[in-house]
Amino acid sequence: MVADPVPLQLAAELFPNGISRYAIGGLFVGLGAAVIYVGTGISAGASTFLESTLSYVSSQSRFQQYVASRDWRLVFTLGIILGAAVYAVVYQGGAWTTDVAWWRLLLGGLFVGVGTRVGKGCTSGHGVCGVGSASKTSLAGVLAFLLVAILTAQVVAALGVTP
């Protein structure tokens, strides 16, 4: 009996450039999260790291709790940004651009910011570190993130919204 080629065709459609770069990227993300946790005892979540950068400009106690560890968190945050820039130059031949209107990007950023506060973290913290440590809260959070993202994408597509 011959195996069904449908899974291979689906994989080729989902990953037209192969899966190796995604697998390598995932290994680096996991390694980075493990190194940060072993070295500091802190789960590596981008929203907390971004929030810690506000301790440089705000005197609110909420942000001042990060003063002792903000320097390496800033380096981590810059690494996310610079890593994306290097990827764009190396693999895409230049800076990343979009046809999405600036106000939609801003509004989306605000929604993401509010969502990370309501969800007590972001997809990187819950999805990488929380799920990796079998946290029930993180598993529920990631499920909620995915369901809301799928629902939102379906609604936006049904409404015919374009950039």
Side-chain angles (χ1 to χ4, degrees):
M1 187 167 154
V2 176
D4 188 9
V6 172
L8 293 177
Q9 290 172 345
L10 180 61
E13 287 178 31
L14 292 174
F15 305 104
N17 297 318
I19 64 166
S20 62
R21 68 175 62 171
Y22 307 109
I24 292 168
L27 289 172
F28 277 126
V29 168
L31 178 63
V35 167
I36 288 171
Y37 186 76
V38 169
T40 67
I42 298 171
S43 294
S47 65
T48 304
F49 289 7
L50 289 170
E51 185 177 337
S52 71
T53 61
L54 293 173
S55 68
Y56 287 103
V57 295
S58 175
S59 60
Q60 290 185 11
S61 62
R62 170 183 181 170
F63 303 123
Q64 291 305 305
Q65 67 181 327
Y66 301 112
V67 169
S69 63
R70 70 183 178 186
D71 293 339
W72 72 265
R73 291 174 190 249
L74 181 62
V75 171
F76 177 90
T77 303
L78 290 174
I80 292 173
I81 296 166
L82 292 175
V86 168
Y87 179 87
V89 169
V90 171
Y91 289 105
Q92 297 175 338
W96 181 77
T97 61
T98 182
D99 294 330
V100 178
W102 68 268
W103 64 269
R104 288 187 177 175
L105 294 172
L106 181 65
L107 185 62
L110 289 172
F111 281 144
V112 168
V114 169
T116 60
R117 290 291 38 120
V118 172
K120 303 215 184 303
C122 60
T123 52
S124 63
H126 286 297
V128 175
C129 298
V131 169
S133 63
S135 164
K136 291 178 185 176
T137 302
S138 291
L139 289 167
V142 168
L143 180 62
F145 298 154
L146 287 172
L147 291 175
V148 169
I150 291 167
L151 179 64
T152 301
Q154 295 301 313
V155 169
V156 167
L159 293 174
V161 176
T162 60

